[in-house]
Amino acid sequence: PSSDCVMAEQLCLSDSTCNATYRTLENCALAKTRLLSLDHDSRVRCLNAELDLGNSSLLHCKCHRRMKRQEHCLRIFWTVHSSMTDGYFNLETSPYENPANEEHWKTDYNKLAALVSGKNCSQFAGDATNPCLRATHICNLSKKCFRLRTDYASICTKGAGSEDVCDRRRCHRGLRNFFEKVPEDFTKRILFCPCQDEFCGERRRKTIVPDCSFQYNTKPNCLWLLDSCLEDHICKSRLADFQQNCQPVDMSPYGCSLHNHAACLQAYMGMIGTPMTPNYISNSSVEVSLWCTCENSGNQKEKCDQILSMFESNKCL
């Protein structure tokens, strides 16, 4: 089994040969981060350094979505795989461990749901017709779910006045905390609750407080959004995970290359709280999109359309 990258780095640094190779790769990754153009010899040296790792655990290491030093782990992964970061469609391998290999946090969601069902209080009166409201009430019975949902909601609604500007970076961090630390039984039911009317749909659309986390005053170009994402280790990693697990395939009866919709939904949730945060586009459908446009993309219009279509018309998703 692949080790996590933090442990693999420690092993590598204790070996002089591996250490020297890793330092070379760090310089290569740094040059790419600063958008410095490498000459032919430098590119060859970087590629050879990656190949020199051979069967090192560093070359095959992965990260976990809920690990404490996640950003550090992802930085190591992209240092070792810096040759994969030239463009969006080269992000073919997710840095994250297969969800099936990860320990899921167990919480008795059904027991809490029964508590809500057993109460005849007026505050729960809308539960039967509004699954999103019901999912929220059940979240409120879990201390962790309630605390982390309250945290991001308060951060993301600050600056809601007409002249105020919310702290989008803090809002995104709060959203990532919620979706990473709260068991998926709660987060999936809140985000993907099935709605029959627009009131429910509007509540679902506002789950991530889109005025702060999703919308800008004007829609930026999707290529700019992509560039912002590739400069951020977490966003780049979530994008690679999304691309791997939500790759649509016309020939597949499932519309999905991995035939695993649960992994795709998890990867979609991973994009929330990044510069490429997606959301529902209206209160009357389950269609999702990025907040960006492909107008004025010049000769990169096709690439821009492909980025947008990964969310807007993705059969797998």
Side-chain angles (χ1 to χ4, degrees):
S2 53
S3 62
D4 85 60
C5 293
V6 177
M7 292 175 59
E9 183 191 47
Q10 291 172 352
L11 284 173
C12 178
L13 296 181
S14 65
D15 176 89
S16 58
T17 304
C18 187
N19 192 327
T21 303
Y22 184 63
R23 297 305 180 194
T24 300
L25 286 171
E26 280 188 318
N27 291 331
C28 298
L30 186 62
K32 288 204 170 193
T33 302
R34 293 177 177 173
L35 301 178
L36 301 175
S37 56
L38 299 174
D39 58 36
H40 174 72
D41 290 345
S42 297
R43 286 199 300 274
V44 170
R45 187 165 60 250
C46 292
L47 195 56
N48 285 339
E50 196 171 312
L51 294 172
D52 284 345
L53 287 178
N55 290 321
S56 160
S57 58
L58 199 58
L59 191 64
H60 304 286
C61 70
K62 293 280 188 177
C63 301
H64 302 278
R65 290 168 183 81
R66 296 175 183 263
M67 68 189 298
K68 288 183 178 178
R69 301 179 66 190
Q70 184 180 164
E71 282 194 62
H72 179 64
C73 185
L74 295 173
R75 181 187 62 75
I76 297 166
F77 179 89
W78 291 115
T79 295
V80 175
H81 298 282
S82 61
S83 65
M84 294 166 55
T85 62
D86 287 331
Y88 173 66
F89 296 103
N90 289 335
L91 298 180
E92 294 170 353
T93 302
S94 170
Y96 289 110
E97 187 67 84
N98 187 317
N101 299 334
E102 293 192 5
E103 182 182 346
H104 284 278
W105 295 25
K106 303 293 183 186
T107 299
D108 198 341
Y109 178 93
N110 291 328
K111 183 186 287 184
L112 296 179
L115 282 176
V116 170
S117 301
K119 292 183 180 182
N120 295 318
C121 306
S122 59
Q123 62 175 324
F124 298 119
D127 283 357
T129 56
N130 192 334
C132 294
L133 201 58
R134 175 181 170 79
T136 302
H137 286 152
I138 295 169
C139 169
N140 290 344
L141 295 176
S142 161
K143 287 182 180 178
K144 176 175 276 189
C145 190
F146 175 72
R147 176 172 57 81
L148 292 174
R149 182 173 169 273
T150 302
D151 283 352
Y152 85 71
S154 64
I155 295 168
C156 299
T157 49
K158 283 179 182 174
S162 58
E163 296 181 4
D164 297 331
V165 177
C166 75
D167 189 334
R168 182 173 282 111
R169 188 180 291 272
R170 283 190 66 218
C171 175
H172 281 169
R173 193 183 306 126
L175 279 165
R176 291 202 307 272
N177 257 341
F178 176 74
F179 285 107
E180 285 177 19
K181 294 181 179 178
V182 174
E184 285 180 17
D185 257 353
F186 294 93
T187 55
K188 280 186 176 176
R189 289 173 203 251
I190 287 175
L191 190 65
F192 303 125
C193 40
C195 289
Q196 301 298 322
D197 60 61
E198 293 193 4
F199 177 74
C200 176
E202 182 66 1
R203 187 177 185 89
R204 179 175 60 193
R205 191 184 70 81
K206 288 190 171 178
T207 295
I208 66 167
V209 196
D211 288 350
C212 183
S213 68
F214 179 65
Q215 295 172 207
Y216 296 77
N217 290 331
T218 56
K219 282 190 176 183
N221 186 280
C222 298
L223 295 169
W224 177 84
L225 218 58
L226 174 65
D227 288 341
S228 300
C229 183
L230 295 180
E231 290 171 4
D232 178 280
H233 284 307
I234 286 184
C235 188
K236 179 165 62 177
S237 301
R238 304 294 173 84
L239 182 60
D241 196 50
F242 179 79
Q243 188 176 5
Q244 176 176 296
N245 290 296
C246 298
Q247 189 67 50
V249 177
D250 290 335
M251 299 296 288
S252 166
Y254 302 96
C256 204
S257 63
L258 295 184
H259 303 175
N260 190 341
H261 289 290
C264 178
L265 291 181
Q266 185 181 54
Y268 172 86
M269 287 195 297
M271 295 301 299
I272 296 172
T274 71
M276 288 184 74
T277 294
N279 196 29
Y280 297 100
I281 60 175
S282 75
N283 58 11
S284 57
S285 78
V286 290
E287 290 181 42
V288 297
S289 181
L290 299 172
W291 182 261
C292 63
T293 177
C294 284
E295 292 178 14
N296 305 317
S297 297
N299 59 4
Q300 291 191 297
K301 176 75 163 58
E302 185 178 348
K303 179 183 178 183
C304 185
D305 287 339
Q306 285 178 307
I307 294 163
L308 197 52
S309 68
M310 281 294 288
F311 293 86
E312 284 191 344
S313 53
N314 187 327
K315 290 180 182 177
C316 181
L317 179 62

